[in-house]
Amino acid sequence: MKKTVVIGASPDPHRYSHRAVAALKSKGHDVVAVGLHEGKIDGLTIHKDFVPLDRVDTVTVYVHPRNQEYWKDYIISLHPDRVIFNPGAENPALAKALRAEGIDSQESCTLVMLTVGTF
């Protein structure tokens, strides 16, 4: 299955990023949770560092645009096929920078995409 990195993963089960990690895992995706707070989501450790990865299909972003500069170089270094900006995380400037690196980006909702089968 597609390796997916969730940026902004939270141990709080009420957060959409938490729900996305759980949903991706339940659908059989190879998911890596990365965030600012330690914890686990359905047994997966939330990494607080920029964990090096290869063959990343998707990065799904749950971080507000004003905080995305911190993650920008890391996201680019993963060379994902696409980056999904979830509702509230839309960032035209970062999307443009990603396109310049040959990385596709889209504004969508990972949870909806998983539900309707378009992920």
Side-chain angles (χ1 to χ4, degrees):
M1 289 300 269
K2 299 174 182 176
K3 184 182 291 183
T4 303
V5 178
V6 178
I7 301 289
S10 171
D12 181 348
H14 298 100
R15 304 291 302 224
Y16 287 111
S17 62
H18 184 102
R19 294 177 188 177
V21 170
L24 286 160
K25 184 179 174 194
S26 75
K27 298 275 187 181
H29 291 276
D30 179 8
V31 60
V32 178
V34 182
L36 296 178
H37 304 287
E38 292 179 350
K40 291 194 180 278
I41 302 171
D42 284 353
L44 292 174
T45 298
I46 299 171
H47 299 275
K48 286 185 58 176
D49 53 354
F50 297 145
V51 60
L53 300 165
D54 59 357
R55 295 188 299 275
V56 174
D57 179 78
T58 302
V59 172
T60 184
V61 179
Y62 285 91
V63 177
H64 192 278
R66 70 175 170 259
N67 299 318
Q68 290 175 13
E69 188 63 30
Y70 175 78
W71 299 100
K72 177 183 173 184
D73 290 339
Y74 177 62
I75 292 169
I76 292 170
S77 78
L78 296 174
H79 305 291
D81 293 332
R82 67 177 173 173
V83 173
I84 299 170
F85 292 96
N86 288 274
E90 302 92 341
N91 186 338
L94 180 52
K96 181 178 179 180
L98 293 170
R99 282 192 302 277
E101 296 289 333
I103 301 168
D104 183 43
S105 69
Q106 59 191 77
E107 295 177 0
S108 194
C109 176
T110 297
L111 291 168
V112 171
M113 292 172 74
L114 286 167
T115 300
V116 301
T118 59
F119 189 82

